[in-house]
Structure formats: C-alpha cells, structure tokens
Amino acid sequence: GENVEQHPSTLSVQEGDSAVIKCTYSDSASNYFPWYKQELGKGPQLIIDIRSNVGEKKDQRIAVTLNKTAKHFSLHITETQPEDSAVYFCARQGYTGRRALTFGSGTRLQVQP
Amino acid sequence: DVKVTQSSRYLVKRTGEKVFLECVQDMDHENMFWYRQDPGLGLRLIYFSYDVKMKEKGDIPEGYSVSREKKERFSLILESASTNQTSMYLCASSQFSGIGSNEQFFGPGTRLTVL
C-alpha cells in the first residue's frame, strides 16, 4: 500500500557529527518525497524534498538521496548543530490516487553540544 | 508570510461532548488537511478537502467529520468525543500544482484532552 517506514525512532549525535534518517516505501507509484522538521510547540515545516526523477538533492548542510529500485530515501544532515534538534518526518506522495502525503512515524534527533 | 491558524492551542473536553476544531489559512490554497499526531505513529490523515464543500476520507476518519463552507476555513468535528481521541491535531494547507505535490503548511496544532 502507501505505508512509509522510518528509522530510527530516536537518534542522538554529538555536535558536528552527521545524522542519517532512512525511510522505505512500498507503493511504486510514489513520485514525491518531502522531509519535514517539527520543533517543539510548532507544526512541521518542509526542509527539503525530492522528486522521483532525481537521485540526490542538497541544500547547505542537508541532503536527501533516493533509491527508486530499492524504494528507500534518506535524509543526511552534516555538521549538526544544537538547533537541528527536532522531530523529523519523511513522507511520500504518488502520481495516482489521493492528493495527500503519507508520513513516516518520525525520528527524534538530539544533538548534544 | 504564509499562515495557518488553529482556533485553540489547548482544549479539554468531556466524553460525549461535541467538539469543533477550526482551521483558517490565508494563502488561498485549494487543499486543506486534518491530521492527528500521536507518539510513535507519526502524522495520520483524518480528512482532507481539495475544494469548497468537497471532502475525502483519510486513513482514520472514524469518529470524525469535517466541514468546508469557505475556501479559507476547514473544521474538524468530533461528534461525540471519546478518550481515545485525546491527541495533537494538526491542520495543513497546500496549493496543488497537479505535477506531483506541493509544500504543506501546518498550523501550530491543538492539543485536545478528552476526560
């Protein structure tokens, strides 16, 4: 179906280290993969997204990679900073079916100063 | 600056009460969504609407209904609140481009407690 599995559920890194969060999906019709960041007391906010015709996308310290064959995509954060501490959600949307995102279960990232 | 507002940040209701959660967006977006967020379960879609007076069920519509009488406003209704509806409720809106997807803008959430 349209499920998305996200791992790990919690991640603790030292400031300056890299963090990687992985998601897998099952629907071959998926063609859009955004990542959202939710800070404490706020709603999620889009930080980066990728479409199925692209294998990698970068924006400063964050990058997303997509492997369509294996049906997984990952968020990479380099040189982590304390302000990166938040809950991160991956999501997918297909070119068929409903106009809505299916979200993963979330990863709580803690960056230790 | 784009904005999605929700009527309450915190709400406490009793079992059996009818509950209204209001969401307003000022971006003239076609699409609006209601999610609930529970620890370990991520964001689960309750209902969404892609036009005024149009609605579609999401993954967990049972016990909820929605209303969209105006483009900017999308209401979530709990006809008879139950304790298992205690949760964080998030509203979002997006401008659907038709070529895949568009960014969803979220409100700050309403934490509902049903006693």
Side-chain angles (χ1 to χ4, degrees), chain A residues 87-105:
Chain A
V87 179
Y88 292 81
F89 293 97
C90 64
R92 51 74 59 198
Q93 183 171 339
Y95 53 82
T96 61
R98 66 185 192 191
R99 303 183 195 180
L101 294 170
T102 303
F103 284 87
S105 54

Side-chain angles (χ1 to χ4, degrees), chain A residues 31-32 51-53 93-95, chain B residues 95-102:
Chain A
N31 68 340
Y32 176 67
R51 298 183 188 273
S52 58
N53 57 346
Q93 183 171 339
Y95 53 82
Chain B
Q95 180 76 9
F96 187 66
S97 71
I99 58 171
S101 173
N102 262 306

Side-chain angles (χ1 to χ4, degrees), chain A residues 2 28 38 50 53-54 60 78 87 91-92:
Chain A
E2 300 179 349
S28 299
Q38 185 178 27
I50 193 168
N53 57 346
V54 175
Q60 298 181 359
T78 58
V87 179
R92 51 74 59 198

